[in-house]
Amino acid sequence: MTTNLRTRLLLTVGGLALAALVAVALAARQGARQEFIRFQETERRAESSGLPDLARELAHELDGHCCAPVPMAAIGRRVPATALLVVTGADGGLVASAGKAVAQLEDLSVHVAGDVISLDATRRGGRIVNRIGLRFRLSPLPVRLGDGRPAFLFLLPLPDEQRDRNASAFLGSLDRRLLVATAVVAVLAVFLTWLLARGVVRPLQELRAATGALARGHRSHRVVPRGSRETRDLAASFNDMASALEREHQLRQDLVNDVAHELRTPLTALRCRLETVLDGLSPDPAAAIRDLHEEVLHLGRLVDDLQELATAEARELRLQIQDVGVDAVVRSAVRAAGLDEDSRVRLLLAPGLVARADAARLRQVVLNLLTNAVRHTPQTGRIEVRSRADGSEAAIEVENTGSHLDEDQLKRIFDRFYRADPARQRVTGGSGLGLAIVKHLVEAQGGRVRAASGRDTVTVGIALPAARE
């Protein structure tokens, strides 16, 4: 049994089309034959409808004069070519016959039994010789022979051989035309079925090749949507999946490279300073040890941030969603950041605003936003923390002056290890994980993040579901 989809479609659809076509052709042939035969019968009835009246006239004229050659010849000229006049005796035997058809009949015999008359003869038409046998149920017309004996006259309709030959030729021509038409339509149906199967299978073959290329690591491979709506949707879904896989692979590579980069710098500094202390080249070993301690603390924060981010991305955070007062959480985060006495900080908080969130995670989010803002705000700048009700959401925004981000930077601001500072210095850029953690923590609580930039300002905000009144 074949498993090729194109062949199966061709056999199935083509077979059904051919079966339907043959059925229609046979039904058309049968219907045409029946209608033609019905038409012939109607014509025969119309031609035979006048025979009884003619038979009575001829019987009246022959009465007492049958069956002399002269009156029989005159009567014979009045008999239609498709009829035969016969006169039978009282014993049912043939006495005489007349009509144009007599010249074509040989071995003519007639027998009458009751109201049934039987005629048997050999009809010769050119080189064609046919044996005919006819049975009729007719009422006999009595006549008297020339010698006074009783006899009976019958006017019998005969089959028209020329008409039958024409009918056979017509039906044969009809069959040949139907056969030719059926063959042409069958070839067309098979060709259209092949086109249909090709149109269905070709996009699937391209998708199969694309999945093979994707499995071999060619993540940039895409397919062109074509064919039916379903196959176009399937191709679009494949392209979306390939793009997502390519993006995830690139993010994974970037993560590995970024982690290696972030770890290489402090580890190199640790090794160099340790070697300086061990070699006795450090003028102030205590200060060197303090620097080493700062590097170790930075590595510890980096590892903690990576673990926090991995947990958030894996959606394994344990959250306690409840009604949380935004004002209290923001003020707690400001104190934790050591900004409660900072003249740059300005709080514009909506009183009584309540969000549905995890209090500890929300405080961590606000703290990360404040830390990020402080890092990019000069001493003469301004940090503004705002909260407000935004429809069914509770919005919190942190705006700082002294920096600007373009469109590309705004799109990547929540990516892991992304820093607006191209130099990627930890002193000005931190670990590059703070806003990535913010994004995943907020989305884990059913919220969303956003960022905007003015000429000299950057605003990073979050929106969480507001508590129901």
Side-chain angles (χ1 to χ4, degrees), residues 208-219 221:
R208 183 183 63 183
T211 55
L214 188 64
R216 291 189 297 270
H218 302 289
R219 296 175 181 82
H221 192 85

Side-chain angles (χ1 to χ4, degrees), residues 260-282:
H261 177 84
E262 293 296 329
L263 293 178
R264 185 182 298 112
T265 300
L267 288 176
T268 301
L270 281 173
R271 186 185 65 184
C272 292
R273 289 172 181 172
L274 282 173
E275 290 176 352
T276 301
V277 173
L278 291 175
D279 293 340
L281 300 177
S282 175

Side-chain angles (χ1 to χ4, degrees), residues 380-445:
T380 59
R382 171 179 53 83
I383 300 174
E384 191 172 279
V385 183
R386 299 186 294 265
S387 69
R388 70 178 187 279
D390 187 5
S392 61
E393 295 178 325
I396 303 174
E397 294 177 342
V398 177
E399 180 184 86
N400 68 279
T401 60
S403 57
H404 170 76
L405 298 177
D406 57 27
E407 290 295 328
D408 183 65
Q409 290 172 324
L410 287 175
K411 292 179 181 178
R412 302 183 58 192
I413 192 173
F414 294 103
D415 291 350
R416 292 179 299 228
F417 293 111
Y418 177 73
R419 299 188 185 93
D421 181 6
R424 299 182 61 87
Q425 295 175 354
R426 297 192 310 278
V427 176
T428 59
S431 67
L433 296 174
L435 292 184
I437 293 175
V438 166
K439 178 178 184 292
H440 287 284
L441 288 180
V442 171
E443 291 179 350
Q445 298 176 76

Side-chain angles (χ1 to χ4, degrees), residues 97-117:
S97 60
K100 301 179 182 66
V102 172
Q104 299 176 352
L105 299 179
E106 299 176 358
D107 301 328
L108 177 64
S109 65
V110 176
H111 177 71
V112 178
D115 60 347
V116 177
I117 178 171

Side-chain angles (χ1 to χ4, degrees), residues 321-326 353-358 362 394 396 464-467:
I321 304 298
Q322 57 186 342
D323 291 351
V324 177
V326 174
L353 183 62
V354 180
R356 292 288 297 171
D358 183 292
L362 180 57
I396 303 174
L464 292 169

Side-chain angles (χ1 to χ4, degrees), residues 106-397:
E106 299 176 358
D107 301 328
L108 177 64
S109 65
V110 176
H111 177 71
V112 178
D115 60 347
V116 177
I117 178 171
S118 302
L119 181 148
D120 294 290
T122 300
R123 180 154 61 180
R124 183 181 300 278
R127 297 180 179 181
I128 302 176
V129 178
N130 294 324
R131 185 69 184 175
I132 61 174
L134 303 175
R135 303 292 181 269
F136 302 96
R137 189 179 295 275
L138 297 174
S139 298
L141 297 175
V143 295
R144 287 177 295 121
L145 300 178
D147 56 4
R149 288 181 300 165
F152 300 96
L153 183 144
F154 297 91
L155 189 58
L156 306 178
L158 296 178
D160 189 344
E161 287 191 347
Q162 184 60 40
R163 178 182 295 173
D164 292 343
R165 284 193 293 271
N166 292 339
S168 298
F170 170 77
L171 293 177
S173 175
L174 177 63
D175 290 344
R176 287 190 296 274
R177 290 177 181 272
L178 281 175
L179 181 61
V180 172
T182 302
V184 171
V185 176
V187 172
L188 182 62
V190 171
F191 177 69
L192 292 178
T193 304
W194 180 81
L195 287 181
L196 174 64
R198 181 174 177 268
V200 171
V201 173
R202 184 178 179 183
L204 297 180
Q205 290 177 334
E206 293 178 355
L207 280 172
R208 183 183 63 183
T211 55
L214 188 64
R216 291 189 297 270
H218 302 289
R219 296 175 181 82
S220 61
H221 192 85
R222 301 292 184 270
V223 294
V224 179
R226 68 179 70 199
S228 63
R229 184 182 64 183
E230 291 77 7
T231 54
R232 291 198 303 270
D233 293 342
L234 182 60
S237 298
F238 172 83
N239 290 337
D240 293 341
M241 179 192 69
S243 298
L245 289 175
E246 185 179 22
R247 184 168 56 254
E248 289 297 325
H249 178 72
Q250 187 62 43
L251 289 175
R252 190 179 300 111
Q253 284 186 332
D254 292 343
L255 176 61
V256 172
N257 294 332
D258 290 338
V259 170
H261 177 84
E262 293 296 329
L263 293 178
R264 185 182 298 112
T265 300
L267 288 176
T268 301
L270 281 173
R271 186 185 65 184
C272 292
R273 289 172 181 172
L274 282 173
E275 290 176 352
T276 301
V277 173
L278 291 175
D279 293 340
L281 300 177
S282 175
D284 189 356
I289 291 175
R290 284 194 299 271
D291 292 340
L292 292 174
H293 182 256
E294 290 181 1
E295 294 293 342
V296 171
L297 290 179
H298 174 74
L299 286 175
R301 288 193 299 270
L302 178 60
V303 172
D304 291 340
D305 287 346
L306 284 172
Q307 183 177 9
E308 186 78 25
L309 183 60
T311 303
E313 288 183 340
R315 300 185 182 276
E316 296 179 354
L317 291 172
R318 294 184 179 180
L319 301 174
Q320 295 181 354
I321 304 298
Q322 57 186 342
D323 291 351
V324 177
V326 174
D327 185 285
V329 171
V330 171
R331 294 183 185 277
S332 174
V334 171
R335 290 191 298 271
L339 301 174
D340 48 341
E341 300 295 336
D342 196 319
S343 60
R344 297 175 297 175
V345 178
R346 182 182 178 188
L347 302 182
L348 299 175
L349 305 178
L353 183 62
V354 180
R356 292 288 297 171
D358 183 292
R361 297 299 183 181
L362 180 57
R363 179 178 179 273
Q364 181 182 357
V365 166
V366 177
L367 181 60
N368 284 6
L369 293 179
L370 289 170
T371 304
N372 182 75
V374 169
R375 187 177 297 118
H376 298 90
T377 305
Q379 290 298 323
T380 59
R382 171 179 53 83
I383 300 174
E384 191 172 279
V385 183
R386 299 186 294 265
S387 69
R388 70 178 187 279
D390 187 5
S392 61
E393 295 178 325
I396 303 174
E397 294 177 342

